Amino acid sequence: MEQVAVKFADGSARRYPRGTTLAALAAETGRRDILAARVDGAPRDLAAPLERDAAVEWLTFGDPAGREIYWHSTAHLLAQAVRELFPQAKLAIGPPIEDGFYYDFDIGRPFTPEDLEAIEARMRELAKRDEPIERIAVRRNDAVRAFQSGGETYKAELLEGISDDPVSFYRQDGFQDMCRGPHLPSTGWIKAVKLLSTSGAYWRGDEHREMLQRIYGISFPTQEALDAYLARLEEAKRRDHRKLGRELQLFASVEEVGQGLPLWLPRGATVRRVLERYIIDLEEGLGYHHVHTPDLANTQLYKISGHWDHYRENMYPPMKVDNEELVLRPMNCPHHIMIYKNRQHSYRDLPVRIAELGNMYRYERSGVLSGLARVRGMTLNDAHIFCRPDQLTDEFMSVVRLIQRVYEDLGFRDYWYRVSLRDPADRAKFVHNDAMWDLAEHKLREAMTALGLRFVEARGEASFYGPKLDVQVPNVMGKDETISTVQIDFYLPERFGLEYIGEDSQPHRPVMIHRGVISTLERMMAFLIELYAGAFPLWLAPEQVRVLPIADRHLAYARRVQETLRGAGIRAGVDAGSERTGHKIREAQLMKVPYMLVVGNREEEQETVAVRSRGAGDEGAAPLAAFTDRLVREIASRR
Ligand code: TSB
Ligand code: ZN
């Protein structure tokens, strides 16, 4: 019998009779978690037979591609349940998404919460029956006829967009759906399901077409995994910076101003100012020079820099005034380069470190905008370091140490390093110069090795001008985003003809490091709100202390306490309202104020305050002077 050679991902290899199914190979492993396979890179059903030599890689729920299949099959199960409960429902599309899946239906009215419960219960029943999921090939004409007689107008329209003949369908338990697959071997693989929400969705995302009803859901191989996910989801909702930003009066998003252009309210602006002062002080101590440069520049500047060729789709369109054509800057580098060029530099002056809390504007697609985490108008804790090639590694290492120091102060514990490299095939996104990229990537790896840091490499994530180290910080849902970045750039110095005069009195070309430590203040704020669930540590809290007079006659003393605290640099408020003390305490707690000082007759006579802290509750009375000293120390410690 003819044989095919199979290579497995673990390096082993074996021969099998042609036509052996992947399921038979999977069975040999004794494993029970294999739900599908990748054959020469393409995902396949386990029922598929091996027709030729191939590389086989098993897929489980642990793999992103495996989860996709798992959730896709659950979407089919959802459609089957809806079809059974609402026989008149028309099916549209049902893909897996990043977290779970959805399916769009036309049932002529929105689904109710009771509907969802019933559908979910039916899905569980169907899964219990553990029906095999089979791929079938249907002649195109038969599919067209079936859709017509079944009134499946959406499916019919989808079919028009496909040229396959035959087309593939997946069938389980009498229910079938047109689909490329692959899918799970049987419905019994789906152990725990939750339908999460519903929403209206236009057919094909087109507001002129039919309004469909979308059901979102998620599923897992165990009830424990589902429970853990739901708990995390609850926690994420509780910490959501958009919700807390509103409740704690930190920032606002206003339609009249524009999408992705948040307004910082006084309390949020206070936290921001603390961060700004903190980072500027640190940087000045490390030899950075802070500058101010405008948010606009002549388009020409970005033609020289290469932004125009490689970054234009993220830029706002140019505007004409007089004889100039201006754009909102998407990055601050060209301005800082012009500052470097403003005077001559000798090898002795280098490194020159130019820093700015620089405003930048990027056209981010509206679908990716999210509160403060991803915006269109932002301020970056930016700096550009101009150094000699022999200084590059040291400079890079000091930036990484600065990042580590800042994370320590901010309380970031969970983070990892991503070395972001170019995709050499993508000539549109990355400037083309192999030697330059090789050198920069080599330098980057060398510095990471010198630092002794472990990192993950990511192809295609570099900047257009060079590779970078991105520091990835996970949010509550475990998704990570880039906070800090350190980028090595041999390109812009070339484009702008940058020079320094060397020891040999000859002009030489400096290297640039672009770096952001606390990211944009917007993204940092989003992270801090979620990390602390709005309860900022004392040094960052917008209102560090609130003084609560018991009655109106204690207001004067409350004001004196406030003055004393303010005099020591502490941000203190007074609740001058006429409500009872219990109510005032609850209000201060809702706003997550770290310390409440209740003052009445006794406190006034003895020049004391009754201390309540956010964490420990009632802490008893303390002399005002002693409490003030304690707080000043606690703030300085950034605990
Ligand atoms: C570091 N030229 C460099 C700079 O010198 C630069 O702009 N790098 S960047 O493009 O990677 O952006 C720097 C940081 O800004 C990112 O690491 C990220 O933390 C933050 N950032 C980028 N886009 C957004 C956005 N749309 N909203 C909020 N923060 C953003
Ligand atoms: Zn830059």
Side-chain angles (χ1 to χ4, degrees):
M1 200 186 304
E2 219 183 324
Q3 304 254 309
V4 294
V6 176
K7 266 226 307 269
F8 293 98
D10 65 5
S12 64
R14 273 202 64 184
R15 303 182 71 79
Y16 295 91
R18 180 197 293 279
T20 307
T21 63
L22 290 162
L25 272 59
E28 285 183 355
T29 65
R31 283 168 52 180
R32 312 196 51 187
D33 59 341
I34 298 171
L35 54 84
R38 238 198 298 256
V39 178
D40 289 335
R44 289 271 179 274
D45 299 314
L46 287 185
L50 281 166
E51 299 295 358
R52 62 186 72 83
D53 294 353
V56 170
E57 192 188 333
W58 299 123
L59 291 175
T60 69
F61 190 81
D63 309 301
R67 277 199 289 282
E68 212 170 90
I69 293 167
Y70 194 92
W71 287 332
H72 191 179
S73 294
T74 318
H76 277 220
L77 193 68
L78 166 60
Q80 182 184 2
V82 168
R83 173 48 64 68
E84 291 191 10
L85 294 169
F86 305 85
Q88 81 291 3
K90 292 187 197 179
L91 312 187
I93 52 162
I97 53 177
E98 200 174 353
D99 265 343
F101 57 87
Y102 69 78
Y103 211 112
D104 287 347
F105 303 95
D106 187 347
I107 66 159
R109 64 161 177 88
F111 288 105
T112 64
E114 294 72 41
D115 292 338
L116 284 199
E117 261 173 51
I119 297 166
E120 204 181 280
R122 179 61 65 96
M123 288 173 76
R124 275 190 213 105
E125 272 171 46
L126 294 173
K128 266 216 193 86
R129 284 195 227 150
D130 194 18
E131 296 284 342
I133 302 175
E134 300 164 298
R135 182 190 180 96
I136 46 176
V138 178
R139 292 213 332 265
R140 203 184 161 80
N141 286 340
D142 294 341
V144 172
R145 222 169 297 130
F147 288 152
Q148 272 166 358
S149 68
E152 294 281 13
T153 49
Y154 302 101
K155 293 289 178 193
E157 193 177 323
L158 289 174
L159 184 56
E160 280 167 28
I162 307 173
S163 54
D164 303 7
D165 190 7
V167 277
S168 84
F169 275 64
Y170 277 79
R171 183 170 62 195
Q172 63 207 33
D173 200 5
F175 168 82
Q176 61 181 46
D177 199 355
M178 183 172 72
C179 181
R180 287 232 163 93
H183 279 281
L184 296 170
S186 67
T187 58
W189 280 73
I190 301 165
K191 301 289 188 203
V193 174
K194 181 80 195 163
L195 298 182
L196 296 166
S197 61
T198 58
S199 72
Y202 292 108
W203 169 231
R204 305 218 130 156
D206 180 346
E207 59 188 296
H208 305 296
R209 306 285 313 262
E210 297 83 344
M211 168 68 92
L212 306 175
Q213 300 304 322
R214 176 171 298 177
I215 298 179
Y216 286 97
I218 196 157
S219 58
F220 289 91
T222 63
Q223 186 62 39
E224 294 76 56
L226 174 61
D227 291 344
Y229 174 83
L230 293 176
R232 216 154 8 104
L233 200 60
E234 268 317 298
E235 186 59 16
K237 276 191 199 146
R238 192 175 76 80
R239 289 173 181 256
D240 188 334
H241 79 274
R242 292 165 299 187
K243 168 176 160 281
L244 288 172
R246 232 182 353 260
E247 291 171 3
L248 301 175
Q249 295 160 32
L250 298 167
F251 71 96
S253 305
V254 176
E255 214 174 300
E256 290 86 334
V257 174
Q259 282 192 72
L261 300 172
L263 305 177
W264 293 75
L265 304 175
R267 298 178 85 87
T270 299
V271 181
R272 173 177 172 145
R273 203 161 44 249
V274 175
L275 287 168
E276 289 179 349
R277 286 178 178 154
Y278 162 74
I279 194 69
I280 291 177
D281 285 351
L282 262 182
E283 286 172 347
E284 285 192 328
L286 292 167
Y288 286 82
H289 302 292
H290 268 265
V291 300
H292 288 288
T293 57
D295 299 5
L296 291 165
N298 197 301
T299 314
Q300 193 56 34
L301 189 66
Y302 302 99
K303 290 190 176 152
I304 301 173
S305 67
H307 283 86
W308 193 254
D309 283 340
H310 300 286
Y311 205 70
R312 195 172 26 191
E313 56 178 52
N314 288 297
M315 292 167 67
Y316 277 86
M319 49 194 134
K320 281 211 163 99
V321 278
D322 300 337
N323 296 324
E324 286 186 310
E325 191 185 85
L326 302 166
V327 280
L328 282 165
R329 64 174 171 192
M331 291 195 195
N332 309 312
C333 351
H335 284 87
H336 291 183
I337 288 172
M338 296 327 275
I339 288 186
Y340 178 85
K341 282 190 86 160
N342 187 47
R343 47 169 276 218
Q344 243 203 10
H345 298 275
S346 111
Y347 67 95
R348 280 190 236 94
D349 311 333
L350 266 41
V352 168
R353 307 181 187 90
I354 311 234
E356 181 172 8
L357 298 176
N359 298 329
M360 28 186 231
Y361 301 85
R362 294 184 181 176
Y363 170 63
E364 301 275 8
R365 307 292 174 273
S366 64
V368 303
L369 295 174
S370 165
L372 289 180
R374 192 173 284 269
V375 291
R376 287 178 173 169
M378 63 202 98
T379 306
L380 179 63
N381 161 230
D382 204 356
H384 294 93
I385 302 174
F386 301 83
C387 66
R388 304 192 306 257
D390 64 288
Q391 296 171 320
L392 183 60
T393 308
D394 275 353
E395 277 303 303
F396 187 95
M397 289 169 69
S398 338
V399 173
V400 175
R401 291 201 191 95
L402 171 60
I403 292 169
Q404 291 170 332
R405 153 87 205 266
V406 168
Y407 284 18
E408 178 78 34
D409 285 343
L410 292 174
F412 286 7
R413 300 270 176 276
D414 256 356
Y415 56 91
W416 54 279
Y417 298 101
R418 184 180 82 183
V419 166
S420 303
L421 307 169
R422 73 167 165 160
D423 171 0
D426 193 341
R427 298 271 178 95
K429 197 165 153 201
F430 305 103
V431 301
H432 180 53
N433 180 337
D434 290 340
M436 184 196 86
W437 281 95
D438 288 347
L439 177 62
E441 292 184 1
H442 168 73
K443 283 285 171 193
L444 179 48
R445 286 203 188 89
E446 189 179 82
M448 290 304 283
T449 310
L451 283 159
L453 294 176
R454 285 197 305 153
F455 57 86
V456 176
E457 293 192 359
R459 283 262 157 228
E461 295 288 343
S463 285
F464 75 83
Y465 43 74
K468 54 185 178 147
L469 169 67
D470 288 322
V471 190
Q472 302 296 110
V473 186
N475 66 16
V476 213
M477 286 310 287
K479 303 248 151 63
D480 48 77
E481 284 223 70
T482 306
I483 294 288
S484 308
T485 183
V486 196
Q487 313 172 347
I488 297 183
D489 180 6
F490 290 94
Y491 180 73
L492 293 182
E494 191 74 38
R495 295 287 291 189
F496 284 94
L498 300 187
E499 290 181 348
Y500 65 90
I501 302 302
E503 223 169 335
D504 56 4
S505 306
Q506 296 301 308
H508 294 269
R509 186 125 297 157
V511 191
M512 274 174 76
I513 296 176
H514 306 237
R515 44 109 288 184
V517 173
I518 65 169
S519 178
T520 53
L521 287 140
E522 287 73 16
R523 182 169 292 182
M524 176 52 72
M525 187 69 176
F527 260 90
L528 288 172
I529 294 172
E530 297 191 355
L531 177 64
Y532 291 110
F536 292 105
L538 184 67
W539 72 286
L540 288 171
E543 185 180 357
Q544 295 169 310
V545 179
R546 186 176 292 184
V547 189
L548 315 178
I550 291 175
D552 281 351
R553 63 180 185 283
H554 307 120
L555 190 55
Y557 178 61
R559 294 269 181 231
R560 272 210 336 269
V561 172
Q562 182 186 34
E563 289 307 305
T564 305
L565 294 168
R566 280 187 174 164
I570 296 164
R571 295 183 289 278
V574 170
D575 186 341
S578 53
E579 297 84 2
R580 303 165 70 96
T581 310
H583 182 269
K584 289 182 179 179
I585 291 174
R586 270 193 304 283
E587 286 284 296
Q589 257 157 353
L590 278 178
M591 294 306 279
K592 315 211 186 228
V593 179
Y595 286 100
M596 290 152 268
L597 304 180
V598 181
V599 296
N601 288 340
R602 182 145 31 116
E603 286 75 20
E604 180 162 4
E605 278 156 26
Q606 303 177 348
E607 192 79 7
T608 58
V609 289
V611 183
R612 284 189 73 87
S613 74
R614 189 175 58 191
D618 191 353
E619 294 191 13
L624 176 58
F627 176 77
T628 308
D629 286 349
R630 165 188 159 189
L631 234 60
V632 168
R633 277 197 306 277
E634 203 178 314
I635 291 167
S637 76
R638 302 207 180 86
R639 244 183 3 137

